[in-house]
């Protein structure tokens, strides 16, 4: 029996709520506990993980604003996810977008008088409420990644409006394509274990479009813009590394052997990614840097994300090395030649890393591990579609915002710093 609420009485006739109910005794307590922990770990990746990772790399006058952008993103996406985002992403609807069966989480129940509760078909051993919050954290971190490309020059109001629209217009539909059973990319065999396409390519491309539209920061390439505090960045990357186990191993949606393999491949790819970047710096710059180690580690994390539950350790090693090399080139060569100011390399690491990882998933996918068969051509098609969709819709959203409230602060405000301009506060 479906749980009856005042909201469901009004919404059911309009949208026809789903009836994903199961008996309480079919819920696995171990799976539920692991996904609860994983959801907390993924949220930990955003705040304080990404917040500190980004804050340490920008100038002192913008550190509070950068952290506020991340924290406010958490709040905005959390509310929109339960109102409509989850329903768009994870109900059947059409192959291109979900329906409205779970609008305002209509039909989601914990337990009824008949000892039934709702589950999602993708995660039938855990309560649907747990699955909802787990997927919410993925939407949150996707939006938080984008803020790194806009750093030090975007209006706070413009950033908030962009995030609110983007998570519904870009992230939720793409998640539906790839992760919902009826999604068109999923039905065509596109593999994305934990978000290489949905999270990293999506966010990286949106960041690139925003960086180009906002244009470079004042003094870009002519003034020194050293990181404010790399200790914060190293603490942030440690939090990301730790939290990423929830990101990848949690995507098994069960406490099982596949989750264990995803955790192992995540650790291996991250470690080799960090070492690869260090070697490249020794070759080209004579010394390995702390920032380079952090960047390489994130490259490994990003690259293995779409492949974590599909590959073995040898595949993880190869993915970590190749992703780090590609991202190093993108950050140190391509960005300078093309003269776009991707402030904190959201595109250079997440966008490029996501693309490389997605394609290599087709190369190294091991059918013995997951039962899935990888296809390089299918993965490339998935990448191209995501790049085009995210880039186009992100451009439209940003253009509308620019023509209405404006995207960028004034030159005087940028010189003063976003901490005082946007929030009336500054570090002592």
């Amino acid at each position: 029996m479906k749980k009856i609420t005042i909201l469901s009485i009004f919404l059911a006739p309009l949208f026809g709520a789903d009836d994903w109910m199961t008996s309480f005794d079919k819920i696995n307590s171990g799976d539920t506990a692991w996904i609860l922990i994983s959801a907390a770990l993924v949220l930990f990746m955003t705040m304080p993980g990404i917040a500190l990772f980004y804050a340490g790399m920008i100038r002192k006058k913008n550190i509070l604003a950068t952290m506020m952008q991340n924290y406010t993103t958490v709040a905005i996406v959390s509310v929109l996810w339960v109102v409509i985002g989850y329903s768009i992403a994870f109900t059947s609807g059409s192959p291109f977008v979900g329906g409205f069966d779970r609008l305002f989480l209509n039909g989601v129940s914990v337990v009824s008088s008949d000892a039934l509760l709702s589950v999602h078909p993708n995660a039938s051993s855990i309560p649907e409420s747990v699955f909802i919050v787990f997927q919410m954290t993925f939407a949150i971190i996707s939006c938080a990644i984008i803020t790194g490309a806009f750093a030090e020059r975007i209006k706070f109001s413009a950033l908030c409006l962009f995030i609110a629209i983007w998570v519904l217009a870009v992230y939720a539909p793409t998640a539906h394509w790839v992760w919902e059973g009826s999604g068109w990319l999923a039905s065509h065999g596109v593999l994305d274990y934990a978000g290489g396409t949905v999270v990293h390519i999506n966010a990286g491309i949106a960041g690139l479009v925003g960086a180009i539209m906002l244009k470079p920061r004042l003094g870009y390439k002519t003034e020194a813009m050293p990181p404010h505090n790399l200790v914060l960045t190293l603490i942030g990357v440690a939090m990301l590394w730790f939290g990423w186990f929830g990101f990848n191993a949690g995507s098994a949606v069960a406490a099982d052997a596949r989750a264990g393999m995803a955790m192992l491949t995540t650790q291996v790819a991250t470690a080799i990614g960090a070492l690869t970047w260090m070697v490249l710096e020794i070759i080209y710059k004579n010394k390995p840097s702390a920032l380079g180690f952090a960047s390489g580690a994130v490259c490994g994390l990003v690259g293995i994300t779409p492949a974590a539950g599909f590959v073995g350790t040898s595949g993880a090693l190869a993915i970590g090395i190749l992703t780090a090399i590609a991202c190093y080139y993108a950050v140190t060569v391509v960005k300078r030649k093309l003269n776009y100011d991707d402030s904190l390399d959201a595109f250079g690491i997440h966008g490029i890393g996501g693309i490389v990882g997605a394609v290599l998933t087709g190369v190294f996918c091991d059918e013995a591990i997951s039962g899935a068969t990888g296809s390089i051509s299918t993965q490339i098609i998935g990448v191209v579609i995501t790049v085009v969709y995210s880039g186009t819709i992100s451009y439209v959203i940003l253009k509308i915002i620019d023509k209405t409230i404006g995207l960028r602060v004034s030159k005087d405000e940028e010189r003063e710093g976003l901490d005082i301009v946007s929030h009336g506060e500054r570090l002592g």
Side-chain angles (χ1 to χ4, degrees):
M1 175 180 288
K2 187 182 300 297
K3 182 179 180 182
I4 303 298
T5 64
I6 294 296
L7 188 60
S8 67
I9 292 173
F10 287 101
L11 294 180
L14 294 175
F15 305 114
D18 284 319
D19 191 16
W20 299 338
M21 305 299 288
T22 192
S23 59
F24 189 79
D25 60 2
K26 292 184 179 179
I27 297 300
N28 185 293
S29 60
D31 293 348
T32 301
W34 170 234
I35 304 308
L36 284 169
I37 293 169
S38 295
L41 287 171
V42 180
L43 182 61
F44 183 71
M45 289 168 64
T46 301
M47 61 178 206
I50 284 184
L52 289 173
F53 182 71
Y54 280 174
M57 290 191 284
I58 47 85
R59 290 168 289 183
K60 183 178 179 180
K61 62 184 179 181
N62 297 311
I63 189 169
L64 294 176
T66 298
M67 297 187 76
M68 269 294 290
Q69 288 174 8
N70 278 273
Y71 286 10
T72 306
T73 292
V74 174
I76 292 171
V77 175
S78 296
V79 172
L80 291 176
W81 191 249
V82 299
V83 171
I84 187 172
Y86 172 71
S87 192
I88 293 174
F90 287 101
T91 60
S92 55
S94 75
F96 303 100
V97 66
F100 297 99
D101 296 357
R102 288 299 195 254
L103 192 65
F104 286 93
L105 301 189
N106 174 53
V108 176
S109 66
V110 178
V111 63
S112 73
S113 57
D114 295 328
L116 298 175
L117 74 165
S118 61
V119 297
H120 190 277
N122 287 4
S124 59
S125 67
I126 65 174
E128 188 177 8
S129 58
V130 178
F131 182 73
I132 290 168
V133 73
F134 180 61
Q135 292 298 335
M136 176 195 291
T137 61
F138 280 65
I140 287 169
I141 197 168
S142 300
C143 295
I145 288 168
I146 301 172
T147 64
F150 300 161
E152 302 196 295
R153 61 201 189 276
I154 193 169
K155 287 183 178 179
F156 183 67
S157 58
L159 185 280
C160 291
L161 183 57
F162 174 77
I163 292 299
I165 300 172
W166 189 89
V167 72
L168 299 179
V170 178
Y171 179 84
T174 310
H176 179 81
W177 300 349
V178 177
W179 287 336
E180 210 284 321
S182 63
W184 70 301
L185 293 185
S187 64
H188 283 82
V190 172
L191 301 178
D192 184 4
Y193 189 75
T197 299
V198 178
V199 176
H200 298 291
I201 296 176
N202 248 346
I205 295 300
L208 175 64
V209 172
I212 292 171
M213 292 183 67
L214 279 162
K215 298 181 180 179
R217 290 165 288 178
L218 296 177
Y220 181 65
K221 287 190 173 181
T222 61
E223 297 177 10
M225 298 182 181
H228 164 65
N229 188 338
L230 284 179
V231 171
L232 296 180
T233 297
L234 289 176
I235 293 172
V237 79
M239 292 173 172
L240 285 170
W241 194 328
F242 175 67
W244 222 287
F245 293 126
F247 200 73
N248 286 357
S251 291
V253 202
D256 59 13
R258 198 174 180 198
M261 178 58 76
M263 180 175 282
L264 176 59
T265 56
T266 298
Q267 178 67 15
V268 169
T270 308
I272 197 65
L275 293 173
T276 300
W277 196 291
M278 288 174 61
V279 170
L280 291 170
E281 286 195 324
I282 291 171
I283 293 171
Y284 293 108
K285 299 181 179 179
N286 298 320
K287 294 180 180 179
S289 67
L291 180 58
F293 178 91
S295 299
V298 176
C299 290
L301 289 165
V302 172
I304 196 61
T305 292
F310 298 122
V311 303
T313 51
S314 59
L317 286 167
I319 289 171
I321 292 169
L322 294 173
T323 304
I325 292 172
C327 291
Y328 182 87
Y329 180 78
V331 168
T332 60
V333 178
V334 175
K335 183 171 74 169
R336 293 182 179 277
K337 285 188 175 181
L338 298 183
N339 199 40
Y340 60 86
D341 185 11
D342 176 11
S343 309
L344 305 179
D345 296 315
F347 171 70
I349 290 180
H350 294 275
I352 296 297
I355 290 170
V356 173
V359 174
L360 292 179
T361 299
V363 176
F364 295 105
C365 179
D366 186 344
E367 191 173 355
I369 291 175
S370 66
T373 302
S375 166
I376 299 173
S377 59
T378 300
Q379 292 300 106
I380 292 173
I381 290 170
V383 167
V384 171
I385 290 170
T386 305
V387 167
V388 172
Y389 183 77
S390 180
T392 302
I393 304 302
S394 298
Y395 174 81
V396 171
I397 297 169
L398 288 165
K399 196 68 176 178
I400 292 171
I401 294 174
D402 192 32
K403 293 296 183 181
T404 52
I405 64 174
L407 282 175
R408 185 166 176 160
V409 298
S410 69
K411 292 182 179 180
D412 288 341
E413 289 174 329
E414 187 175 340
R415 291 189 184 96
E416 188 172 6
L418 299 188
D419 287 0
I420 194 69
V421 167
S422 299
H423 307 293
E425 301 168 302
R426 61 161 48 105
L427 294 178

